[in-house]
Amino acid sequence: MSIEEAGQFATLFDRLVRGVEEVVLGKQHVIRLAFTALFSEGHLLLEDVPGTGKTSLARAIAQSVRGTNNRVQFTPDLLPGDITGVSIFDQRTATFEFHRGPVFANIVLADEINRASPKTQAALLEVMEEGQVTADGVTHRVAGPFMVIATQNPIEQAGTYRLPEAQLDRFLMKTSIGYPDQAATVRILEGAGRRAHDNRVAPVLSAESVVEVASLARTVFVDATINDYVARLVDATRSSPEVRLGASVRGALALIRTAKTYAASQGRHYVTPDDVKALAEPVLAHRLLLDAEAEFDGVSASSVIGRILVETPPPRSGEDQRADVS
């Protein structure tokens, strides 16, 4: 990526963020994380209490891309075929014809994903990792870009099924929105006469353009010292006394991928240690499995990541790495 391309990327990124910010007020940081996940070709998990705008954020991101988007309300009686599709016998041709499910879209909103059974949750594993659905031995590709934005409520646990670690690892990032500040709340109340689904975001990019921009983000320069820094961070999660299962290699790759996109969104064609620090918690925290005693003592995965960032020294020359790769 050249310096000029990085500037163009940042301008486009800011346009997308401003559009969604008209719907989700006062949450620019979360919106930037969401678009970072989109252009890093990954999936996003939004975990927060009810009424914070999780569904509104996911819908606004889908609307900002001129592609297809579907919303699936996860419930205990939802079946895998309701998501991926089913094969139906056609009496005229005496053959089975595959009818595609809602997962065949560019942006798929999996609302309250933890309310579906583990069998239904597992139906998303293949398509989230490989971008394809296999039914009756036949593989069906999903069109790019493909992103799953899942929401879940951490408070109401009755009638829910906790996402297994293998599925959590498929999400590039996990973040929460939180309550708006007073100024944002006043603006929300001023628009109380409009229903939430009446607020629409004008599309900025076509689906094809999203793929092109995502491929451009992959060309951001990463110095060897940054790779070493990420490797040391991930290794520290595995040796932490509070952690039973540390971040996987997939987590390390995710941190590099998102750091590239994050750097480009700031108008830079190279990654700095600060990019890694900004993304370490949303990329790595949900991949950690804490020790039961640590959880009982109130230790959180986010606090573990925060301590590791303090204890792991970044590359000294990270900010000065301005290799001319244009």
Side-chain angles (χ1 to χ4, degrees):
M1 176 182 283
S2 66
I3 298 175
E4 293 75 17
E5 289 172 330
Q8 293 170 0
F9 188 104
T11 300
L12 177 62
F13 198 94
D14 288 340
R15 281 182 60 199
L16 289 163
V17 172
R18 285 196 301 269
V20 174
E21 210 174 3
E22 292 296 319
V23 176
V24 184
L25 304 176
K27 296 297 176 181
Q28 185 182 110
H29 177 66
V30 177
I31 297 171
R32 297 188 75 88
L33 286 179
F35 278 112
T36 298
L38 174 64
F39 289 120
S40 301
E41 301 174 295
H43 310 288
L44 178 67
L45 178 61
L46 298 173
E47 182 178 82
D48 217 328
V49 294
T52 52
K54 300 186 296 295
T55 304
S56 296
L57 173 61
R59 188 189 298 114
I61 292 171
Q63 291 171 352
S64 66
V65 177
R66 196 180 294 108
T68 57
N69 63 84
N70 286 325
R71 177 179 183 271
V72 182
Q73 182 65 50
F74 278 62
T75 55
D77 60 346
L78 193 72
L79 299 176
D82 296 331
I83 301 173
T84 59
V86 295
S87 295
I88 298 177
F89 185 73
D90 190 338
Q91 293 183 340
R92 293 174 300 176
T93 60
T95 58
F96 282 93
E97 180 180 354
F98 182 69
H99 289 248
R100 299 188 170 199
V103 78
F104 286 89
N106 297 125
I107 308 290
V108 178
L109 170 57
D111 212 359
E112 296 187 285
I113 189 173
N114 57 333
R115 292 201 176 277
S117 67
K119 183 177 181 180
T120 302
Q121 292 175 7
L124 286 171
L125 284 175
E126 180 186 12
V127 69
M128 288 176 65
E129 182 69 17
E130 302 175 27
Q132 65 183 32
V133 170
T134 302
D136 299 326
V138 179
T139 298
H140 307 271
R141 298 288 304 179
V142 296
F146 173 69
M147 181 184 189
V148 173
I149 303 176
T151 70
Q152 66 177 8
N153 176 5
I155 304 301
E156 293 182 22
Q157 296 301 319
T160 64
Y161 303 87
R162 181 176 177 178
L163 289 177
E165 281 68 30
Q167 185 139 13
L168 284 173
D169 207 26
R170 297 308 198 276
F171 284 99
L172 189 70
M173 287 188 191
K174 175 185 174 185
T175 188
S176 60
I177 299 177
Y179 291 118
D181 58 23
Q182 182 180 0
T185 301
V186 170
R187 291 180 59 192
I188 293 171
L189 295 177
E190 289 172 351
R194 296 191 304 270
R195 291 178 297 181
H197 62 267
D198 289 337
N199 297 321
R200 298 193 63 83
V201 177
V204 176
L205 282 178
S206 65
E208 295 76 14
S209 297
V210 173
V211 176
E212 295 174 2
V213 174
S215 63
L216 183 63
R218 291 198 298 268
T219 65
V220 171
F221 175 73
V222 180
D223 190 79
T225 57
I226 298 293
N227 287 327
D228 177 72
Y229 181 46
V230 170
R232 287 188 286 119
L233 288 174
V234 170
D235 186 63
T237 67
R238 300 167 186 164
S239 58
S240 173
E242 302 99 337
V243 178
R244 185 153 50 98
L245 181 65
S248 64
V249 175
R250 185 186 286 116
L253 290 170
L255 190 51
I256 290 293
R257 282 165 53 198
T258 53
K260 287 183 176 184
T261 304
Y262 193 83
S265 73
Q266 305 294 319
R268 283 184 279 100
H269 64 295
Y270 58 92
V271 175
T272 69
D274 285 340
D275 298 326
V276 175
K277 291 179 180 179
L279 296 168
E281 192 273 331
V283 172
L284 296 181
H286 67 284
R287 304 173 193 271
L288 305 186
L289 186 61
L290 297 181
D291 181 81
E293 186 174 342
E295 283 189 295
F296 182 77
D297 291 338
V299 177
S300 67
S302 296
S303 64
V304 172
I305 295 296
R307 177 181 56 77
I308 289 174
L309 287 173
V310 171
E311 296 176 352
T312 307
R316 292 181 181 178
S317 59
E319 189 59 38
D320 297 325
Q321 294 162 358
R322 292 178 173 84
D324 186 10
V325 293
S326 57

